[in-house]
Amino acid sequence: MFSIGEFANHGRVSVRMLRHYDAIGLLRPARVDASSGYRYYEASQLSALNRIIALRDLGFGLEQVQSMLDENVSVAQLQGMLRLRRADLEASLVAEAAQLTRVEARLRIIESEGRMPTHEVVIKRLDLIRVVELTDVAASFTPEDIGPVIKPLCAELGQRLAAAAIEPTGRLIAYYEQSPREDDEVVIHAAVPVADGSHAAGGLAIADVPAAEQAATIVHRGSMDQVLPTVDALARWIDVNGYRAVGFPRELYIECPEDEAHWVTELQQPIAPA
Amino acid sequence: MFSIGEFANHGRVSVRMLRHYDAIGLLRPARVDASSGYRYYEASQLSALNRIIALRDLGFGLEQVQSMLDENVSVAQLQGMLRLRRADLEASLVAEAAQLTRVEARLRIIESEGRMPTHEVVIKRLDLIRVVELTDVAASFTPEDIGPVIKPLCAELGQRLAAAAIEPTGRLIAYYEQSPREDDEVVIHAAVPVADGSHAAGGLAIADVPAAEQAATIVHRGSMDQVLPTVDALARWIDVNGYRAVGFPRELYIECPEDEAHWVTELQQPIAPA
DNA sequence: TTGCTCCTCACGTCACGTGAGGTGGC
DNA sequence: TTGCTCCTCACGTCACGTGAGGTGGC
């Protein structure tokens, strides 16, 4: 018979742990003194303790450990739990490796630029959005070419929405479709979300902006004339963190007051692992 | 100005999170209505939220995030935090990879043997132990050769301890030193721990059983004549889990009643990554 | 009036670590 | 008597999720 302290010593666990395992019924002492409450363990219980430690060290929770030690658990169930654990571990390893990549990317940036990045990139999921939209084309994907096309396009969109009495359910979205031709031409979509049952009206097209499992996003503050550095930062981030762009880039117009210098927009780029 | 719900939507976070960040002072709403307590956020606060999300997604705790956003934090401090995080992540990846190896090993065992292993192996750290000991040699590391040598050796040790009035501070330890010669001969040490200041006496040698950062251990129940399957299980485990033996194997005699069938011993083998 | 959004507590999570306050045998 | 070991609460951990119970504007 061992006292709790001796048993803890042999098992390389804390006394508190043994008390905890007693409390949850995972490992009951062989004997408990009725008057003092002292716990006493038998040497043979070391095997039981070791089984618990071994399973816990595979990453199972104590409740799962308890069920795995149950005599009535089948081999198939044990296999199932181990396979699930394996899958969880594999997912966790991938996630942590990605986190490490991002930490290292940030260390490189801090070394080369001497400060933390000011443009923060965040990965989000984008849901499918039902929109009404107008489209036009621009000669290239630079603010100089986009600006003169998108501004009248948005104004026109606003007028037609009012004329057709359509109530948008969200804010303006622009997305940019690379022309199938080999030149730089892009098709610009100016769109607003509408309720699911909406119909085309007033010369406006109904469309679905597709969902994206992962999109890298960045907030741009200020005039869209100055958007290029933000676009570049987003592109570099995607590259440095081991992703690639897989769909149309989008802009979400979050706040557009009179003074364009105070605009807040979010650039979104669907991505996939490179 | 956004209500908390709108802001949460744009930021892809939960309303509860925003309330939490407000509560801990990480991200205060731009305005709080005095009478209703409603929180209102500005579009420009999306950048602040994104910085928080980005840092949190690197694995930093919210308290650390807060300190990293502090204007007074130096670039050197930021670098330090990122490097520490990198080191933690690397360690965590190694630990999880080892865990995955163990889970996979167990899955293979369950497939080949049709049940969970009954001999559980646990990795422990072994501290250095000051002992008094007697030694002898055996022809090989099999129970048939060890048994007839170690039994009288232990009896002799007990007598000399009593004669020299030495009080052991722990239980009997045996460890086995491969002879430097090429044959199977092993040097058997029968030792008991003593207080640090002890001196050699009564023909007993003082020695230190070295510490080991990692040792694979397994509990053997029953007579030492039957120890071979347990020794084999330990050796296989060490092999299958990507370790190798790096020091003397030991036996710790945990409980040795009259009836040897009820003995409980722990086999210990110092290991290192293979 | 019903729904919707917002609010403030406050408990639960997971496996213990860490006191606080007290007892019993050498 | 002092140290040592043991005991039982009970709080703290970390970042929220999840009700409970209630309010205010459309």
Side-chain angles (χ1 to χ4, degrees), chain A residues 57 92 96 102 124-125, chain B residues 10 12 57 92 96 102:
Chain A
D57 287 352
S92 168
E96 282 198 42
R102 291 202 299 277
K124 298 180 180 178
R125 200 171 48 74
Chain B
H10 281 306
R12 258 28 197 206
D57 287 353
S92 168
E96 282 199 41
R102 290 202 300 276

Side-chain angles (χ1 to χ4, degrees), chain A residues 207-234:
Chain A
D208 283 328
V209 185
E213 262 316 299
Q214 289 189 305
T217 71
I218 192 168
V219 169
H220 174 68
R221 296 170 65 175
S223 162
M224 293 310 281
D225 298 343
Q226 318 287 319
V227 81
L228 216 48
T230 312
V231 170
D232 285 346
L234 183 59

Side-chain angles (χ1 to χ4, degrees), chain B residues 1-4 18-19 21-23 27-42 45:
Chain B
M1 288 299 236
F2 297 105
S3 73
I4 195 170
L18 291 175
R19 291 205 188 105
Y21 293 171
D22 181 13
L27 181 64
R28 290 269 152 78
R31 193 169 74 76
V32 177
D33 186 275
S35 75
S36 69
Y38 277 33
R39 296 168 177 85
Y40 296 98
Y41 295 84
E42 280 173 8
Q45 293 191 279

